[in-house]
Amino acid sequence: MGENIHEECGVFGVFADKQFDAANYCYYGLFALQHRGQESCGIVVNDDGVFNAHIDKGIVDDVFTSRVMESFDNGRMAIAHVRYGTKETAGRRDAQPIVVSHHKGNIALCYNGAINNAYELRIEMEESGSMFHTNSEAEIITNVIARERLTSTSTEEAVYRAMDKIKGAYCVVMMSPTKMIAFRDEHGFHPLCYGITDEGVYVVASETCALDAVGAHLIRDVKPGEILVFEKNGVRSLTGHCGKSPRALCIFEYIYLARPDSVIEGCSVHKARRKAGEMLAKIYPVDADVVIGVPDSGLDAAIGYSKESGIPYGIGFVKNKYIGRTFIVPGQHLREDRVKIKLNPISDTVEGKRIVLIDDSIVRGTTSTRIVRMLREAGAKEIHMRVSAPLFVNQCFYGTDIESREALIANRFPKEQIPEIIGVDSLGFLPLENVRDIVVDGDNKGFCTACFDGMNPTDIDQTSKSFKYAKKIKQGDE
Ligand code: SF4
């Protein structure tokens, strides 16, 4: 259930050589990316250099009412964003896109990721006169680019120079008055792709499912370190930052973060999850009557386990589709039951059965414990849990909000005790040495697996000011 794990954001952008209903494209694109963030969202349309923005807290459906959508004029380009925010940075103030003006024009920018030297960059700029309105790292990136722009001959040159200064994981889509620019950090931590519609509208998005939503055909993924410039004469690729650092695509995108109908760097997310299930069946076989998955990201792996093992696949739960992240539990005594409200077992599938239960991850273990208890109450005879990821041992420094290191079940209890704590008859995690093998297609075999093995692909200095600053912002201690 992705217990206490959240992707930070999804980005989207459209560009054409004539005016079109760019905001409507963004609306559909954001709907497709809603799983990447539900705290706030925003669209900025560029109407011949005039930027019209609507940015607010809430999910896409609530923020972009028909009245709001009608208020957008056509434009030649637009960018858009969905955001997950930590508790203290979830407000409207930190929503994206960010829009700034400088004496060479306007910039609108949105991003997904985490900047590892955010504090150093911000202090350097503040000490030389910059003022910041938000706690958002997008504002820091925007300011770095705006400053470089003052002494560059073009926006893309400013971006190129800014990339030398910004350390960490980032996928950015931005607009100047005349161009849309998309770029990705040198390691390529998070996915970013682009395509084109039959009408000639270029589309950039965090995931291919958003290209599908607006009828765009995938051209390719943006390369790690690449800058794509969408302008009147077409698309230009600047590759000066490419190949400088080892690739480190987040493996957890395949396991949990991305939508199963997306394709990342040549491999279908659905296929990767099925493969994880097949591998679990080979590594941890068990005699059972039915395989069930925890919705949503456990389902594909459950199908894979069922196929490989020959044990029938069943629908074990109904998920309430109408509960959002802002779901409030009225009253402390009901808090324990919130999992039940989101998810309810189908007794016909589980009663009297030996069950293989597939989930995508275990973080603290509290959600798994409640799910297992629900299955027992529904009459399950045996529960054999298989997890399509290794155990988390580390927090993520690259944009995925995982629990603190201390809260992770792997750091609180010996591995042998975990089945008893969760209440299952047996438990198996996808072994660390096998996790890369779930990506069956595509050429990329360079992955970040740092939350599972602690091997951060970049230097992370936990005593640095940026690290302390990020922690302070997260705790709301401003
Ligand atoms: S640490 Fe984990 S969640 Fe973060 S980028 Fe690496 S694999 Fe993804």
Side-chain angles (χ1 to χ4, degrees), residues 5 169 189-190 248-253 257 392 394-402 447-452 455-457:
I5 308 170
F189 279 100
H190 295 290
L249 176 63
C250 169
I251 196 75
F252 203 52
E253 290 280 354
L257 299 174
F392 285 114
N394 207 21
Q395 68 197 89
C396 172
F397 299 101
Y398 307 109
T400 304
D401 188 27
I402 298 171
F447 297 106
C448 175
T449 52
C451 48
F452 305 120
M455 305 292 285
N456 295 312

Side-chain angles (χ1 to χ4, degrees), residues 46 67 97 100 151 202 221 237 304 312 340 342 344 347 375 428 461:
N46 179 344
R67 226 174 82 189
V100 300
T151 54
Y202 283 106
D221 295 273
S237 163
K340 225 174 191 170
K342 285 188 175 183
N344 205 26
S347 55
L375 289 174
D461 177 5

Side-chain angles (χ1 to χ4, degrees), residues 4 60 88 121 175-176 195 241 248 261 266 281 306 396 418 461 467:
N4 301 304
V60 178
E88 282 74 22
L121 290 170
M175 296 186 294
S176 73
H241 283 293
D261 52 338
S306 166
C396 172
I418 297 176
D461 177 5
F467 184 81

Side-chain angles (χ1 to χ4, degrees), residues 1 295-296 317-323 341-344:
M1 267 187 90
D296 292 312
F317 299 96
V318 168
K319 185 180 172 188
N320 190 326
K321 299 185 186 75
Y322 306 101
I323 294 177
I341 297 165
K342 285 188 175 183
L343 210 61
N344 205 26

